[in-house]
């Protein structure tokens, strides 16, 4: 209702007796019908706050989660505040990771890839709205495929599809409204992570970091993938619920 009336939730309580116009009521009822069909609220209002910034979201992109803010926070700790750096955001979706990093680290340039052209349209709109479009470059394609062969990075970060295909049908109905491409990690949930890790190490500068968001039961197998690829200082970090949620590894 606050969205329909272009006001705040607090203002609604201060103005309880204000009658709705016919158009406002019709719009409100239409949104309620969509919500009853399990369409996520974030899609209804077209926005989700992430790392203290408003990001445009719709059915073309995954809705940013609080757990991913932890990933951004940790990556920011790996980047210098007063020196240039280059970051690659794979499977960028709405752009929330790469754009947040660019906004917090003005000397850092960010490259971002996604297989979905529709998602990239949303990400580009977010980069422009949040005034970092000059420092975030978008590429359409599968993981590293659209990038120059010699491009290297200080940090490679990704929130890739990691839900196993058999689990998709059991997800919340709201989550099932989100793009399957952003969720489906194949039979074991690692169909995207496996090639991503294998290709990432040669793309990192010496001492550079790979940072991944994972499902809560994927910590040990993803840690093993990083170690097999030659990463050192590999660690698994927890989310707010104390579940395994992020894996980090450093290039020698």
């Amino acid at each position: 209702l606050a969205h329909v009336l272009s006001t705040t939730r607090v203002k609604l309580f201060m103005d309880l007796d204000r009658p709705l116009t016919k158009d406002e009521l019709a719009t409100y009822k239409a949104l309620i019908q969509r919500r009853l069909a399990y369409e996520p609220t974030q899609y209804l209002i077209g926005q989700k706050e992430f790392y203290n910034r408003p990001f445009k979201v719709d059915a073309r992109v995954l809705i940013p989660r609080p757990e991913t803010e932890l990933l951004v926070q940790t990556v920011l700790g790996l980047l210098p505040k007063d020196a240039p750096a280059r970051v690659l955001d794979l499977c960028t979706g709405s752009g929330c990771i790469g754009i947040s990093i660019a906004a917090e680290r003005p000397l850092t340039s960010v490259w971002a890839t996604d297989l979905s052209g529709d998602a990239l349209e949303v990400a580009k709109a977010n980069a422009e709205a949040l005034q970092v479009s000059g420092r975030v470059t978008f590429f359409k394609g599968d993981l590293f495929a659209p990038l120059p062969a010699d491009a290297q990075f200080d940090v490679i970060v990704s929130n890739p599809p990691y839900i196993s295909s058999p689990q998709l049908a059991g997800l919340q109905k709201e989550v099932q409204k989100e793009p399957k491409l952003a969720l489906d990690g194949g039979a074991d949930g690692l169909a995207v992570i496996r090639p991503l890790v294998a290709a990432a190490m040669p793309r990192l500068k010496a001492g550079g970091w790979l940072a991944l968001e994972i499902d809560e039961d994927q910590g040990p197998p993803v840690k093993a993938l990083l170690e097999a690829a030659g990463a050192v200082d590999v660690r698994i970090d927890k989310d707010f619920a104390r579940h395994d949620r992020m894996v980090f590894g450093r290039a020698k």
Side-chain angles (χ1 to χ4, degrees):
L1 182 57
H3 168 71
V4 170
L5 300 181
S6 299
T7 187
T8 65
R9 293 178 65 172
V10 172
K11 189 72 163 40
L12 289 181
F13 288 101
M14 295 170 60
D15 205 11
L16 284 175
D17 295 328
R18 175 200 184 288
L20 299 185
T21 68
K22 286 185 178 180
D23 287 345
E24 289 169 344
L25 186 59
T27 301
Y28 184 46
K29 287 184 174 180
L31 288 177
I32 289 176
Q33 290 302 313
R34 289 169 61 187
R35 186 69 189 94
L36 288 169
Y38 298 101
E39 190 169 347
T41 301
Q42 295 88 343
Y43 288 169
L44 300 183
I45 66 174
Q47 182 175 296
K48 175 69 169 74
E49 184 171 297
F50 182 87
Y51 220 82
N52 298 319
R53 294 178 179 86
F55 280 82
K56 170 185 170 63
V57 293
D58 58 33
R60 295 174 289 178
V61 296
L62 193 74
I63 298 166
R65 268 52 170 194
E67 292 80 6
T68 309
E69 292 182 322
L70 287 175
L71 183 66
V72 169
Q73 180 178 321
T74 307
V75 168
L76 289 172
L78 303 173
L79 292 168
K81 293 183 179 180
D82 54 0
R86 182 189 284 175
V87 171
L88 174 61
D89 174 18
L90 297 169
C91 310
T92 191
S94 66
C96 63
I97 293 175
I99 291 169
S100 297
I101 291 170
E104 295 289 328
R105 293 288 184 272
L107 296 179
T108 294
S109 65
V110 176
W111 292 14
T113 72
D114 204 287
L115 195 55
S116 167
D118 287 341
L120 287 176
E121 287 183 12
V122 177
K124 289 175 182 177
N126 280 322
E128 186 160 341
L130 295 170
Q131 300 181 334
V132 297
S133 56
R135 292 187 294 108
V136 183
T137 306
F138 295 99
F139 300 84
K140 182 181 184 301
D142 189 11
L143 299 177
F144 299 91
L147 303 177
D150 59 348
Q152 288 196 307
F153 303 89
D154 297 280
V155 174
I156 297 173
V157 59
S158 183
N159 176 17
Y162 56 67
I163 306 298
S164 68
S165 301
Q167 289 180 300
L168 292 175
L171 295 175
Q172 288 181 316
K173 291 182 179 180
E174 286 86 353
V175 179
Q176 293 184 39
K177 296 286 187 178
E178 297 182 74
K180 184 180 178 183
L181 185 66
L183 297 167
D184 192 350
D188 62 355
L190 300 176
V192 177
I193 292 176
R194 199 174 283 111
L196 189 163
V197 170
M201 285 301 133
R203 294 289 197 152
L204 286 169
K205 297 177 183 178
W209 286 89
L210 174 62
L212 299 174
E213 182 171 327
I214 59 166
D215 202 4
E216 61 186 62
D217 61 355
Q218 292 173 341
V222 175
K223 182 175 184 284
L225 287 174
L226 265 73
E227 291 172 340
V232 296
D233 300 331
V234 180
R235 74 174 195 266
I236 302 168
D237 283 7
K238 306 284 187 182
D239 61 16
F240 296 112
R242 307 305 299 161
H243 297 139
D244 289 353
R245 187 61 62 192
M246 296 164 284
V247 177
F248 299 89
R250 187 171 60 84
K252 292 180 181 177

